[in-house]
């Protein structure tokens, strides 16, 4: 017999769903307790019980605290309600189908009979500011108001609305559609979860220069990031291949978009930033200088050392830095996040040493090309700082230990493991890479503010970007959120089944996450089978 | 210089968008007329002019006729309005971003100054019935009410609401966001389009047995089908690997779903049918018998010839046919479409000739296994007919000419060209395959009611199904909709640029359509570049 027999799912916790479908088999239904908690990323601390609760499809929001009335909370609650009750058959409101099968006779429950009728969200702070280090902690309680009560309560309590958003995601992952009762259930209640992230910066980079990603697709990426509790979208907007962004002060820059339609207006960028904010995600923009900037000169050829030698940007001209300053002034109005990325990587300075006027300029200043590179980077940093940004630059591989030793802060993105375009990296390697590896001094470890996965765009466009990101980005997301000691050990037992489950959760939510097991990322499934096993 | 210079898009019609961005260059802006009309599939008849119109982001619906007030029309109008005005920067309503750049000073237009302020939709019939052969013709007029008027009108007129839906799709494809004026524009006005499909049946098959596809993903597929004017989703629900569908009369059948969560309730199926109907798409369900049905016996082992020999279904037992009848009665309540697919393909009858009680039954009736196969298929057909369905069966390759010669109707799905899991078929081969090939008698050609592409699921799950379907399915969609004489000739000139454009349109709408140019379908882009050229 092949793999289609009586299902043998790896997810013991929810097994009883199969049996409650079969009223003729009253003995079944007890075997739902299991050792694993299907949450991703794993919360910092949690306790659970043995009871199964039903959740009212008319789940009410009870908002409290200074931040409870925020539109961000209301919108997020509605969004998650849509996710939790996505199925048509969940509950009484849409029971037309069931009524047509009245002979088979299983009607949806009425509201009064659901165990969980409302979700209370208490947010202490009224601020909607989403800065680096914003408090993302939350408590999630699903239990009885007291030992005697038959009334169940579900409460999220957080200091900020962004902590509450993280709690909502966790709540949504606890809510599972049960095909027997045709209702949404919470297993292993009561729950008491106290959660907070290990790192403040949990990022994902996208690259819209090698391939343009439509607004709609960037939104899909952001939405999916929130499911794994990422909190920074690092937007590598521009590179040498194309310049898709509108810069009002220098309107010819986006002349080198790939076409008239592969562009982002200022309003598009705002929309991205606001869409991300409503999911608790900051947008860190990147303007990569002085290399990776050849496309700029299509609109402003003076930026090139010469028309035949076009990279790095001309270090000798005031115009170069005036333009960078003007661009950053425009961008400052769009991107409120405190960090701004200035690139600075992979700079080949041959054009500087071979172009006569640059060569002369260097000689006059007794400056090497290396010195000119440092001059450029520092000058760009000064401009970013003058706009109120903390500048971020690319550094070489494995450099965090050296950087923090000098007192710099570091964002970890190991090219060997966390560059998602490296398709031959299995999920285990993504998972076990740790941002503080090689740093033993606790005070220095604190300078590592987090890490990010990078989705470079050379071979990732709308057709395959989501399946390249997921599920491996989730492995990094758990590394960045969960306590290190809780996600070590035998990860094949403790993480893999949960990762399979999370991949299938992404699929259910419409995200094209690829199979977990394939040797190469984003490969198609090798044959028929269950999402939970592939 | 590489491919990032001044863009050289293949879409001359819209080129002026680049130039209107640059008010310093008043000479530009005239070169927007072009030979190609970027519509997919190509309408039956159309005329266009040379003018460019702006479209009000507060576009009003003016519904008229018996069917104009249908909720399907209202919903579709709202849906398309969302698609057309997806960008944040389109028009005055969301101009916050522009105001922050007041120095650069370009405000959104006020309503009064848009050329097209409303869309009139006239639907003559009030019926919402969506049967095979429903009238899908429509007229789309975008012009001045008379020669002197300065007022532009946009009108869709159709006999049925489903014709109006096709007209809305065409209208949406004419509306293009212009990055210069930051408004949605219609080029080459006035337009007069008279359109209707060449074939009544324009289908796409999905397979939810080899891999379960979540409801959300099936909806994504259906939504994308409507963009190419497909009108039948052929749902190959069940196969030997898994049985995901709830059958209330035989509740153990879905025991062989892959897991407790890879299932469709009756309500899920309704939701699919209703979601599809609101996009003018019928759902033809398939129950493939007597082969491809091994999974059924997990819940009801009596359906197997024996526990060690499990396919085809046991032809000797009344229970087999009672169950099929009960299942089809249940399904009749879900699937209103007039056609029902009974599979019938790839039946290996070895189990029948090797299992003693079946062997005995055959001998008693002096029946060969081939005869028993025909007996089974005919009996299943009788059951389907008794429920009010016209049964459909799989037939061998290239069999349409023989079938129509005998007076049968035929749906074309050439395995060599229209099976989307055959990844080595380039778009040109999909495009040039014709449903009536090999049939020369016009009266016989009429018996070919259309065709369908088949997305078999062995290596297509949520992660890659959309990129496998698109863009090649679009090639078949145009073959099925447009007049044969209009889509012959040099397709590299007449179809390829439009197909590139349609692929990018799918991307903009969030659909993961793969590059057009790759030798193998669903391959990632081979390097950086424009959507319109890959």
């Amino acid at each position: 017999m092949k793999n289609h027999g009586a299902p043998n799912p790896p997810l013991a916790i929810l097994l009883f769903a199969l049996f409650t479908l079969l009223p003729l088999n009253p003995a079944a239904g007890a075997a739902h307790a299991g050792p694993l908690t299907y949450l991703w990323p794993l919360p910092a601390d949690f306790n659970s019980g043995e009871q199964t609760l039903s959740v009212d499809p008319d789940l009410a929001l009870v908002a409290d605290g200074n931040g409870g009335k925020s539109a961000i909370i209301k919108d997020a609650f509605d969004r998650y309600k849509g996710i939790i009750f996505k199925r048509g058959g969940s509950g009484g409101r849409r029971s037309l189908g069931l009524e047509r099968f009245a002979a088979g006779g299983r009607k949806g429950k009425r509201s009064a009979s659901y165990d969980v009728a409302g979700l209370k969200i208490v947010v202490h702070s009224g601020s909607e500011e989403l800065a680096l280090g914003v408090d993302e902690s939350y408590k999630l309680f699903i239990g009885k108001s007291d030992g005697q009560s038959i009334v169940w309560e579900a409460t999220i309590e957080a200091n900020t609305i962004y902590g509450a958003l993280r709690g909502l995601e966790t709540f949504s992952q606890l809510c599972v559609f049960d095909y027997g009762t045709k209702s949404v259930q919470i297993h292993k209640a009561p729950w008491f979860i106290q959660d907070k992230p290990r790192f403040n910066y949990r990022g994902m980079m996208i690259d819209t220069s090698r391939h343009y990603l439509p607004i709609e697709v960037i939104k899909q990426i952001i939405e999916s990031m929130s499911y794994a509790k990422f909190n920074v979208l690092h937007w590598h907007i521009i590179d040498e291949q194309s310049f898709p962004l509108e810069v009002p002060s220098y309107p010819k820059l986006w002349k080198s978009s790939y076409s008239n339609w592969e562009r982002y207006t200022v309003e598009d960028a705002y929309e991205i930033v606001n869409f991300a904010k409503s999911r608790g995600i900051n947008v860190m923009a990147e303007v990569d200088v002085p290399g990776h900037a050849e496309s700029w000169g299509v609109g402003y050829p003076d930026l090139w050392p010469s028309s035949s030698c076009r990279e790095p940007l001309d270090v000798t001209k005031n115009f170069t830095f005036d333009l960078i300053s003007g661009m950053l002034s425009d961008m400052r109005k769009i991107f409120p996040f405190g960090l701004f990325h200035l690139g600075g990587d992979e700079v080949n300075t041959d054009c500087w040493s071979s172009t006569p006027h640059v060569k002369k300029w260097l000689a006059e200043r007794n400056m090497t090309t290396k010195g000119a590179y440092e001059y450029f980077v520092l000058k760009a940093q000064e401009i970013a700082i003058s706009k109120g940004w903390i500048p971020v630059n690319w550094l070489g591989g494995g450099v965090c230990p050296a950087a923090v030793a000098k007192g710099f802060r570091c964002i970890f993105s190991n090219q060997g493991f966390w560059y998602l375009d490296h398709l031959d990296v299995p999920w285990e390697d993504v998972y076990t890479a740790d941002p503080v590896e090689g740093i033993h001094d606790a005070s220095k470890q604190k300078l590592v503010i987090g890490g990010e996965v990078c989705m470079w765009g050379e071979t990732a466009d709308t057709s395959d970007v989501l399946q390249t990101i997921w599920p491996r980005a989730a492995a990094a997301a758990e590394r960045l959120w969960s306590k290190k000691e809780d996600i070590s050990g035998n990860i094949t037992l403790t993480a893999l089944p949960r990762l399979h489950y999370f991949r299938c959760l992404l699929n259910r939510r419409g995200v094209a996450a690829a199979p977990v097991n394939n040797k190469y990322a984003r490969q198609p499934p090798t044959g028929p089978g269950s999402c939970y096993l592939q």
Side-chain angles (χ1 to χ4, degrees), chain A:
Chain A
M1 187 165 154
K2 283 166 288 176
N3 61 351
H4 68 279
N8 186 20
L11 310 170
I13 176 178
L14 300 170
L15 248 184
F16 90 109
L18 175 66
F19 298 110
T20 53
L21 175 75
L22 308 170
L24 297 176
N25 187 354
H32 66 279
L36 276 174
T37 296
Y38 290 94
L39 294 173
W40 194 281
L42 205 64
D45 291 291
F46 59 93
N47 284 295
S48 57
E50 295 292 336
Q51 287 193 260
T52 295
L53 310 180
S54 59
V55 184
D56 190 344
D58 288 323
L59 190 74
L61 169 63
V62 184
D64 206 353
N66 295 320
K69 302 293 183 194
S70 160
I72 293 178
I73 292 292
K74 175 67 171 61
D75 290 349
F77 178 80
D78 290 344
R79 201 164 62 238
Y80 277 107
K81 205 167 152 183
I83 288 171
I84 294 167
F85 300 103
K86 196 160 257 181
R87 314 197 74 86
S90 55
R93 282 179 307 170
R94 303 170 78 176
S95 62
L96 173 67
L98 286 166
E99 280 154 19
R100 293 217 217 172
F101 284 101
R106 189 189 299 116
K107 288 281 179 72
K109 288 189 182 186
R110 279 172 306 178
S111 259
S113 64
Y114 291 99
D115 298 312
V116 179
L119 176 64
K120 188 172 181 180
I121 301 182
V122 185
V123 181
H124 297 304
S125 164
S127 169
E128 292 190 355
E129 199 196 344
L130 178 62
L132 180 67
V134 67
D135 187 339
E136 293 174 279
S137 69
Y138 67 93
K139 292 177 192 171
L140 171 57
F141 171 72
I142 302 168
K144 292 187 176 179
S145 48
D146 63 67
Q148 273 69 49
S149 172
I150 58 157
V151 179
W152 287 84
E153 291 182 346
T155 304
I156 292 169
E157 185 183 351
N159 290 322
T160 72
I161 56 175
Y162 303 107
L165 295 190
R166 306 298 170 233
L168 265 168
E169 174 58 40
T170 303
F171 179 77
S172 76
Q173 293 190 12
L174 290 176
C175 292
V176 178
F177 184 76
D178 175 82
Y179 284 79
T181 58
K182 295 194 178 179
S183 63
V184 169
Q185 297 189 334
I186 295 173
H187 301 286
K188 296 176 71 172
W191 280 95
F192 184 65
I193 297 176
Q194 271 191 294
D195 200 9
K196 64 176 181 183
R198 179 177 166 209
F199 291 104
N200 286 334
Y201 183 109
R202 304 180 306 282
M204 182 185 296
M205 194 214 74
I206 59 168
D207 170 4
T208 56
S209 179
R210 274 60 178 260
H211 285 96
Y212 175 82
L213 295 172
I215 303 296
E216 193 66 16
V217 177
I218 296 178
K219 287 182 177 176
Q220 290 172 356
I221 293 169
I222 292 169
E223 180 76 31
S224 67
M225 285 171 67
S226 71
Y227 303 156
K229 298 190 170 75
F230 278 107
N231 71 352
V232 179
L233 177 75
H234 170 182
W235 188 2
H236 184 86
I237 309 175
I238 307 150
D239 208 295
E240 60 184 38
Q241 286 86 355
S242 74
F243 195 118
L245 183 69
E246 177 186 28
V247 177
S249 302
Y250 292 91
K252 293 185 199 170
L253 280 169
W254 71 354
K255 273 188 76 172
S256 64
S257 61
Y258 281 124
S259 69
N260 294 347
W261 309 279
E262 289 163 295
R263 292 181 165 190
Y264 306 105
T265 63
V266 164
E267 294 79 12
D268 290 339
Y270 273 125
E271 192 165 323
I272 294 299
V273 168
N274 289 329
F275 185 91
K277 182 180 180 182
S278 69
R279 280 133 185 100
I281 294 173
N282 270 301
V283 180
M284 178 175 72
E286 177 177 353
V287 167
D288 195 346
V289 292
H292 290 278
E294 187 180 338
S295 63
W296 304 28
V298 173
Y300 298 95
D302 277 355
L303 295 168
W304 291 328
S306 74
S307 61
S308 59
C309 215
R310 297 176 166 185
E311 265 183 344
L313 296 172
D314 192 333
V315 66
T316 73
K317 298 200 185 93
N318 288 335
F319 177 63
T320 303
F321 298 99
D322 289 348
L323 183 141
I324 292 173
S325 180
M327 187 193 301
L328 266 55
S329 287
D330 283 356
M331 293 177 76
R332 197 63 180 112
K333 297 172 192 157
I334 307 172
F335 299 102
F337 189 45
L339 306 183
F340 187 84
H341 204 299
L342 286 166
D345 58 320
E346 300 180 323
V347 180
N348 178 335
T349 53
D350 287 354
C351 273
W352 286 351
S353 45
S354 68
T355 305
H357 80 270
V358 184
K359 202 173 166 181
K360 178 162 171 278
W361 185 90
L362 291 171
E364 283 166 6
R365 283 157 185 77
N366 196 23
M367 202 185 262
T368 62
T369 53
K370 184 162 180 289
Y373 163 73
E374 287 167 5
Y375 165 85
F376 198 116
V377 168
L378 286 173
K379 202 152 175 173
Q381 287 184 351
E382 278 164 23
I383 294 169
I385 291 166
S386 77
K387 314 292 179 195
W389 266 315
I390 297 169
V392 181
N393 281 100
W394 294 111
L395 293 170
V399 87
C400 264
V404 299
K406 290 184 183 166
F408 289 103
R409 287 184 289 176
C410 194
I411 298 163
F412 174 83
S413 188
N414 186 312
Q415 182 166 345
F417 300 130
W418 284 17
Y419 275 22
L420 297 171
D421 57 324
H422 291 207
L423 303 179
D424 57 350
V425 181
W427 78 270
E428 298 94 327
D429 290 355
V430 179
Y431 192 75
T432 51
D434 199 278
V436 299
E437 64 194 13
I439 305 170
H440 307 293
D441 179 334
S443 70
K444 297 299 179 197
Q445 286 183 349
K446 280 183 186 153
L447 293 172
V448 180
I449 62 170
E452 67 176 36
V453 288
C454 295
M455 182 65 272
W456 294 107
E458 281 84 351
T459 65
D461 65 5
T462 297
S463 73
D464 61 350
V465 67
L466 279 158
Q467 62 166 215
T468 317
I469 291 172
W470 304 108
R472 292 183 308 158
E478 178 152 294
R479 176 61 45 186
L480 290 164
W481 181 277
S482 305
K483 288 196 284 191
K484 193 175 179 181
E485 56 270 30
D486 291 346
I487 59 169
S488 304
N490 188 340
I491 62 173
T492 306
L493 292 178
T494 60
L496 180 56
R498 287 187 299 110
L499 184 58
H500 266 127
Y501 192 84
F502 185 70
R503 182 238 164 172
C504 300
L505 174 145
L506 290 170
N507 283 180
R508 274 202 305 279
R509 294 183 182 186
V511 180
V516 174
N517 290 349
N518 286 346
K519 185 175 176 193
Y520 296 102
R522 83 178 172 204
Q523 287 291 100
T526 53
S530 168
C531 173
Y532 295 89
L533 298 172
Q534 292 191 320

